[in-house]
Amino acid sequence: MVQIEPPGTAEANGDVAAPIAPISPIAMGQSPVDSEAITEDGISGSLNSESDAEGLGIPSDGPAFAGGPPLPTDPNAVDQSLSGVPPTTLAWQSDRTRKTRQTAMVAMLAVSTLFITGLMFFWFVKSQSGVATMPDPSPVIETSPAIDETSADSVPTESSTQNSTASEEIAQANDLNVDEPGSMDQSQTSVQTPNQKTADQEMSDPEASDQTSGKPTEPTVVDTPASDSIIPSSLLPKSPLDGMPTSDQPLGLPAVKQDLLPSNQVPGKSDEGPEEGMLAELPAGLQQFTPLLLLDGLPQKPTLQAPPSIEQVQIDSAEEDEDELGMEPPPPIDVKADLAIRMAFRSNGYALPSFVLLISQTTGVPIQLDWVSLDLGGINIADPITTTGKVRTAKQWLEDIAAQVDGEIRPEATMVVLTMTDDAFATKKQPLLLLDDFNAGQVSAEKVIDDFMEEVNVAGGNRNVDGEVESADDVEAGDVEPAPAQLPLMTPRQSDQLRILATETLRRMRNIEGKVADDRIRRWTQLGAPSSDLWKELEGGKTIPQVDTPIAAAGFLRRSAQATGAVLMVNWHDANRRGMRPNRLVFPIARDDAGNTLSSLLDEFSLQVRAVDQNHWWLGSPATYDRLPVIVGSEPMATEADARRFQLLMDQIMQNAGRDSYRITFDPESKRYLMLVPRYIARQLPKVGGAVAAN
């Protein structure tokens, strides 16, 4: 147990306390360091400072405790003022506090600078926007000579004659003034003659006034208008309405009093008119524009008619596929494996489309017919195909029926195409392309066909009325180059089909009998207005009895067409992408007619059946039908101006189309246009013709 005794107890008991050893100062190198001063700077509110000691009632050099001995001092302590170490003060602050205060000071300076700059800018704008017009309240003193009435009536003096002459000149000058009465600087305008002096001159030279009148002048006070200012009128802003011409003043010319003009320049006093008089000084290059000036009365109605624009014709857009994202890519086919099924047929004969649908139903391979080549080659697809009772593979059956129509099968990635052979088609096309039946117009017919078939490297490039190549972008003939050979717009078979159809259409445009039957050529061409009985949606027709089990789609389509006595051409490009495979099982609901029955089944696939004519149906999507190309012979153009307006409007409508879907060439013999357009444009050509006729 430790006992703590109060101070002085040891001395009372006779014990002598050991002397306290002196404390040696701390030194760093040769420089002493006062650790107590560092402690005082780091600890806030230290009791060792003099102010804190006084605040607590403890003397700074007194004892540390009441009744205790005073603290010893170190006689060897080194004075800081002599050691070179700067004395520490109570104003010490940390780096964080110093940075905070500096940031606050910079922010206050920036805000103050922005505020002062804003005030100066506001003062500058206000001083510049205000009009420095201060009316002079002091009256203007004018002097007028006192004229003796008796002397003025009796004898006219030289001064009075000069004054009257000056008055006339002032009146004429006032008449020539451009500004209207009441304008801003009219009160400042004056004409000073050599014999006139201002009021300031007469006030400063009274002897001069005595020389003119003979009597002393008396000052008169004239009140100035309120608009007078100390700023000269030339520096005041002009009103934009001061220089506007009046109803009897030509545009662009100053207002001149007609009494001061010669008689041959006064409107209405000569047969030359205002243009010959007032505008005679215009240069020769500007004289042609004088009729455009509004010289008299209301503006004349322009005699030139503006060409029709696309805004004047409401062209309906083509149909679009409703669900392109939902379409699935058609599966590839393996001709060797898929067409290896062996089968035998015993029937009275199938039409070519029906026999093809039967093989597609059995094998599941889509078989596309090249209908255009077969029609131009003179093949009637409705004729029955001869069959035998032999057992053959599906591929052998296809090759057999293709040979009966001078054709062949061409496998592709997702389907098989049945078309005519190149040699057979070349033999069929030669007589169709001969132009000897045009007689005297053979040369012009050949030029029209060549211009129509010419491939240019410009979208929409066509021949105009003058036979020059143009496009929707006004491409000049010299800027058009032939299309590159490495990227043809059409295959050779498609190019031959297009030339045959264009030649047959030109024959009918010139009232020459065609070489292809009308019922076939009408499926792919159009002369004049569109026909209402071709390519219309199927309506009516006999429907097959209600089936009690699912049936393949190709079989149902074949039986529905045979019940009505027609053949069905399926566009498998559309059907494949929409999931309607030939062997897909369907369960149709029998309606009152074939049109409604097929529509209820095909609406799910966004497909439709169209009656091309009475004996031929076509199945495809509305979007594909609207974009099927058709060769059109337009209605005859009444005048050359109508022909130019028609082509201009067609170029505007088809400005984004290429040569594979839009061509137009003018035939000067028949005054018609030979065109290649999509079917949705062909059925709206009467709108274009109406817009041209209306202008």
Side-chain angles (χ1 to χ4, degrees), residues 496-560:
D496 291 340
Q497 293 174 356
L498 181 61
R499 180 177 285 272
I500 295 174
L501 293 175
T503 304
E504 287 295 314
T505 305
L506 185 61
R507 287 191 175 98
R508 288 160 174 79
M509 290 166 56
R510 296 189 180 185
N511 297 322
I512 299 176
E513 184 179 358
K515 296 182 179 181
V516 180
D518 289 341
D519 58 343
R520 298 179 185 176
I521 202 68
R522 289 178 60 198
R523 300 168 189 161
W524 319 112
T525 63
Q526 173 182 316
L527 186 63
S531 178
S532 59
D533 59 343
L534 296 178
W535 292 91
K536 60 182 181 180
E537 293 188 33
L538 180 62
E539 297 178 355
K542 296 181 180 179
T543 183
I544 63 174
Q546 176 67 47
V547 295
D548 53 358
T549 57
I551 185 174
F556 174 74
L557 295 175
R558 175 179 56 84
R559 293 177 58 185
S560 299

Side-chain angles (χ1 to χ4, degrees), residues 570-627:
V570 180
N571 184 356
W572 291 110
H573 292 284
D574 290 338
N576 256 349
R577 292 187 303 132
R578 288 163 175 79
M580 187 177 177
R581 311 285 187 260
N583 56 353
R584 175 167 180 166
L585 297 179
V586 294
F587 205 151
I589 300 176
R591 305 290 183 178
D592 52 352
D593 54 41
N596 292 331
T597 302
L598 291 173
S599 177
S600 63
L601 172 65
L602 299 176
D603 284 346
E604 177 184 354
F605 305 97
S606 298
L607 298 172
Q608 62 179 193
V609 175
R610 288 184 173 269
V612 180
D613 52 36
Q614 186 176 1
N615 300 322
H616 298 83
W617 292 357
W618 177 86
L619 186 146
S621 67
T624 300
Y625 167 73
D626 281 349
R627 290 166 176 81

Side-chain angles (χ1 to χ4, degrees), residues 31-34 79-88:
S31 301
V33 178
D34 191 353
D79 191 359
Q80 292 181 358
S81 61
L82 300 177
S83 62
V85 180
T88 57

